[in-house]
Amino acid sequence: MGKTYERIDGRLRSFIETQPMFFTATAPLSGDGTINLSPKGLRGSFAVLDELTVAYLDFAGSNAETVAHLRENGRITLMWCAFTGPPNIVRVHGRGEPVFRDDPRWPELLRHFPDIDPDPHGLRAIVVVRAELIRDTCGYAVPLMTYEADRDLHGRRFAREDDASLSAYFAGKEHVTTSIDGLPGLPLPLPPTPAR
């Protein structure tokens, strides 16, 4: 039923690259801390960097739990489900880090996402994940659903922000600079968006 993979390549890579959404799960080290689970979408915002490394664009939002947990301990699980075609669930368990705009790796990492314009979405970090365990399972109980299109609401909402107003937006949110459990989240103010 389930299989463990040594690397992300071939049919496995094709599967995760063609899914229109995936999920991220993180948690703080504290046993009574808040576990976070987030859906991620927008075509072109996920990339396989090599056979053991993936990355996704972390856009503006009203919290930063994933960023905070990764800054504390790096643990993350990514999950993709087949909502069309043969049933399948793929999980990548690994260690991740948020790479912020002022990191020297930023320009090179951003080149891995040529099919999306990150500017209208308030890009605040690129999350890089190094796989430690790659597994799939049957997914027999995952429902069949039809993908219609990405919503345009996120881009429309954050396209009207510049770096200063985006920093102000984040500063006004309770759980962006710190997590629900008080861990350091997104560093503010945001560094200017590097020229591409």
Side-chain angles (χ1 to χ4, degrees):
M1 294 281 272
K3 181 178 176 183
T4 299
Y5 297 84
E6 292 184 4
R7 61 189 59 84
I8 302 167
D9 61 4
R11 193 170 52 85
L12 181 69
R13 178 174 178 161
S14 296
F15 172 76
I16 65 176
E17 287 181 327
T18 57
Q19 300 312 304
M21 73 175 296
F22 63 99
F23 301 87
T24 68
T26 58
L29 290 177
S30 171
D32 61 354
T34 306
I35 297 169
N36 187 63
L37 177 63
S38 296
K40 302 294 179 185
L42 297 178
R43 290 277 189 179
S45 65
F46 173 83
V48 176
L49 306 187
D50 63 41
E51 61 187 20
L52 288 175
T53 312
V54 299
Y56 68 88
L57 303 179
D58 180 61
F59 294 121
S62 57
N63 66 46
E65 296 300 300
T66 301
V67 166
H69 295 161
L70 292 178
R71 291 182 71 189
E72 185 204 35
N73 62 67
R75 298 176 305 163
I76 187 167
T77 297
L78 307 178
M79 183 181 78
W80 295 261
C81 298
F83 295 112
T84 61
N88 195 18
I89 299 171
V90 172
R91 290 178 181 88
V92 171
H93 306 266
R95 297 280 167 177
E97 70 168 312
V99 175
F100 300 115
R101 294 175 175 188
D102 55 354
D103 190 296
R105 297 171 293 170
W106 181 275
E108 180 57 35
L109 284 170
L110 199 54
R111 288 199 244 313
H112 290 278
F113 305 92
D115 298 330
I116 189 168
D117 180 0
D119 293 339
H121 296 283
L123 181 59
R124 59 190 189 179
I126 300 171
V127 175
V128 178
V129 177
R130 181 81 173 167
E132 295 179 338
L133 177 64
I134 307 160
R135 287 190 48 80
D136 70 0
T137 52
C138 67
Y140 290 167
V142 174
L144 290 168
M145 294 190 283
T146 303
Y147 168 74
E148 293 181 22
D150 285 341
R151 296 178 192 264
D152 65 354
L153 297 173
H154 194 274
R156 286 180 18 221
R157 161 60 187 93
F158 289 102
R160 43 184 205 243
E161 305 287 355
D162 59 19
D163 291 339
S165 65
L166 197 57
S167 286
Y169 168 82
F170 291 144
K173 296 295 180 183
E174 185 178 6
H175 298 299
V176 171
T177 58
T178 59
S179 74
I180 292 170
D181 301 310
L183 296 172
L186 186 70
L188 291 180
L190 289 175
T193 303
R196 285 188 284 158

